[in-house]
Amino acid sequence: MKKKLIFYIAMSILMAGIAISTFFIINGFSNKYETNETKVFKEVLTLLEKSRNSNKKGYEIKFKEDFNYNQKTEDDEEVIDYKSHYLSEGLFNMSYEVSNPSDVSFQGGFESFFKNANGFISGTQIEKYEIENTETSKKDNSVLRNDNFNKGIDNTFIIDNDSNNVSVMSVTLYNDFKNKDNNVNDKFYGKISKNVLMDNVETKSFNTAVDKMMFVDVWDSTNTLLLLMHNTFVNFELSNSEKIFNYIKDKSFTYNRKDKTIEIKYMLSLDGSLKEEENNFNDVEILIEVDKESGEIVSFKFDLSKYLSSLLALEAEGATYFKADVNSYYIEGKIINNTLDRADTSSVQYKEYNDETKYDFIDQFINHALPTRDIY
């Protein structure tokens, strides 16, 4: 009996030792993923989740794309020398109040804004092309073709969306910097009942039309990156440290704790929507600064300069000479839990449209509010 008792005591001690060892092994394995970087990223995700519950939102987005492109190609008969400079920059604001914060979303786009919120969308944007293209005959060195132009578009718009009406102000200048006689000044000031508009036009169609207000190329990247950033932040389980650890471990993740904010920086992996057919370059740097109390994104910035360089380099295939200089390409801004101030339009005389003239509103909007004239 004594031997059995000793045996049971020994086994109990042994099992306890195994349990303790197992606890430390499992706990140690779990703590492997609880790095300072993981904890900071989880903290930021928690703050952003908190911020999503606000029924007021203000988006302010700035962008600039500026690059030079030079390429020379030739075949048995001719040499083509192409030089260009492209510049676009601007500011976009979106501000609204909504009863239920989930009624307006990235996925719902402008459609959810017009259906459910009161607020405004506004923007200023310019786009400028300088192109010189010369085609020369190899046979006698004669110039077969020479294109040389310097043109641009300058647009300002405000779309107000309240409980009763939708008002649109859009002013567009089409500039020919070599011949001002070719300049065109396009304007549209229109106001219509929201009920009349929404009852006769599919909301998705109007959403598509409004989306075309942002005509510069960078808007495609802006929409894609903001949605990608949003999806990244909402798809994490905050309790899953391993998943978060694995997500940031190869992304050059850094952080900086300030008095009132947390700043994180890392490389954002692109999905297929931003990758060209033969381009696997995914080096887009994102910097986000989040308020420690409100969870607001007080600033964010996407640096796409290396990404654009990789896209332009794809055009070098088959060229006898190629050079592309990306001076800047970035998208930056803030997303706050409050409404934004907008430009004063009290002096603007809006033309009011009604049920009988609703299709005139649509026609004028498409032809004069959207900056879609061909400048080439």
Side-chain angles (χ1 to χ4, degrees):
M1 185 66 183
K2 188 175 180 180
K3 289 183 179 179
K4 285 186 178 182
L5 183 59
I6 293 172
F7 171 77
Y8 288 137
I9 293 173
M11 286 300 295
S12 297
I13 293 172
L14 177 61
M15 293 305 294
I18 292 173
I20 292 170
S21 299
T22 304
F23 169 79
F24 280 114
I25 290 171
I26 293 174
N27 195 49
F29 187 73
S30 174
N31 287 340
K32 166 186 174 183
Y33 303 113
E34 287 289 336
T35 63
N36 289 334
E37 289 76 12
T38 302
K39 291 176 181 177
V40 168
F41 197 47
K42 286 170 68 175
E43 185 177 351
V44 168
L45 293 175
T46 303
L47 288 167
L48 293 175
E49 180 64 32
K50 174 183 177 181
S51 178
R52 273 189 283 276
N53 295 321
S54 174
N55 62 350
K56 292 184 179 181
K57 282 293 179 185
Y59 295 81
E60 182 179 284
I61 302 170
K62 299 177 183 179
F63 63 86
K64 185 172 184 179
E65 181 177 5
D66 182 1
F67 67 88
N68 295 288
Y69 183 90
N70 189 352
Q71 176 177 293
K72 183 178 290 187
T73 59
E74 59 182 291
D75 56 26
D76 294 338
E77 297 182 353
E78 63 182 13
V79 177
I80 302 174
D81 192 359
Y82 178 87
K83 299 176 182 178
S84 67
H85 175 227
Y86 175 80
L87 170 67
S88 68
E89 59 184 329
L91 170 68
F92 169 81
N93 287 338
M94 181 174 179
S95 175
Y96 64 83
E97 294 185 48
V98 64
S99 298
N100 185 350
S102 63
D103 284 344
V104 179
S105 64
F106 279 106
Q107 294 88 339
F110 292 133
E111 183 178 357
S112 64
F113 166 76
F114 284 109
K115 274 186 174 181
N116 305 310
N118 291 331
F120 71 89
I121 301 170
S122 67
T124 58
Q125 49 193 336
I126 65 168
E127 189 171 48
K128 185 176 180 182
Y129 293 86
E130 296 178 72
I131 296 175
E132 182 177 352
N133 182 60
T134 305
E135 299 178 14
T136 306
S137 170
K138 277 189 170 182
K139 183 178 180 180
D140 57 7
N141 208 35
S142 61
V143 176
L144 304 174
R145 177 179 177 177
N146 182 255
D147 299 312
N148 193 329
F149 72 91
N150 186 349
K151 297 183 178 182
I153 305 177
D154 188 333
N155 170 259
T156 300
F157 69 90
I158 297 176
I159 304 177
D160 286 306
N161 175 53
D162 60 37
S163 301
N164 301 311
N165 301 297
V166 173
S167 304
V168 180
M169 183 204 80
S170 179
V171 179
T172 309
L173 303 177
Y174 298 88
N175 297 306
D176 185 338
F177 297 104
K178 287 184 173 292
N179 186 353
K180 292 185 178 181
D181 292 337
N182 295 329
N183 291 355
V184 176
N185 188 348
D186 224 350
K187 298 179 180 180
F188 177 69
Y189 306 113
K191 182 177 183 179
I192 191 169
S193 162
K194 183 185 286 190
N195 289 335
V196 170
L197 180 64
M198 299 305 172
D199 288 347
N200 292 276
V201 179
E202 285 189 5
T203 314
K204 285 186 178 180
S205 299
F206 189 63
N207 173 50
T208 301
V210 172
D211 193 51
K212 290 181 179 178
M213 293 290 294
M214 280 67 76
F215 65 91
V216 294
D217 289 341
V218 71
W219 279 117
D220 290 334
S221 298
T222 302
N223 290 333
T224 300
L225 286 167
L226 287 175
L227 183 58
L228 184 59
M229 180 178 74
H230 170 76
N231 289 340
T232 297
F233 293 155
V234 300
N235 287 336
F236 278 115
E237 297 177 22
L238 295 179
S239 60
N240 194 335
S241 298
E242 181 180 358
K243 184 177 179 181
I244 295 174
F245 173 87
N246 288 330
Y247 176 78
I248 64 175
K249 68 177 182 180
D250 296 320
K251 291 183 169 53
S252 303
F253 183 91
T254 60
Y255 67 90
N256 181 21
R257 287 187 176 277
K258 301 182 179 180
D259 290 340
K260 296 182 179 180
T261 62
I262 303 173
E263 183 181 270
I264 62 173
K265 183 192 296 185
Y266 63 97
M267 311 312 295
L268 184 67
S269 296
L270 303 182
D271 60 13
S273 56
L274 269 174
K275 292 183 180 179
E276 299 295 323
E277 184 177 348
E278 299 177 7
N279 177 38
N280 291 320
F281 197 83
N282 64 352
D283 200 6
V284 172
E285 184 179 81
I286 177 173
L287 184 148
I288 304 171
E289 188 171 358
V290 179
D291 187 276
K292 290 180 180 179
E293 293 295 326
S294 65
E296 294 174 309
I297 299 178
V298 296
S299 69
F300 69 85
K301 183 173 183 177
F302 297 101
D303 185 347
L304 294 99
S305 54
K306 293 181 180 178
Y307 165 74
L308 179 58
S309 294
S310 73
L311 292 184
L312 296 174
L314 294 176
E315 304 297 324
E317 185 176 349
T320 55
Y321 175 80
F322 169 80
K323 184 180 180 182
D325 295 315
V326 177
N327 303 315
S328 62
Y329 188 17
Y330 63 82
I331 301 163
E332 65 181 13
K334 63 182 181 182
I335 304 174
I336 64 173
N337 299 332
N338 209 337
T339 54
L340 303 173
D341 295 329
R342 78 165 184 66
D344 181 18
T345 56
S346 58
S347 62
V348 175
Q349 297 295 316
Y350 289 95
K351 180 177 179 179
E352 296 200 21
Y353 296 80
N354 54 36
D355 188 59
E356 293 181 358
T357 58
K358 54 183 176 286
Y359 295 115
D360 292 335
F361 174 88
I362 299 300
D363 181 67
Q364 293 298 307
F365 178 85
I366 292 173
N367 288 289
H368 298 287
L370 302 184
T372 55
R373 288 177 183 264
D374 187 359
I375 64 172
Y376 289 99

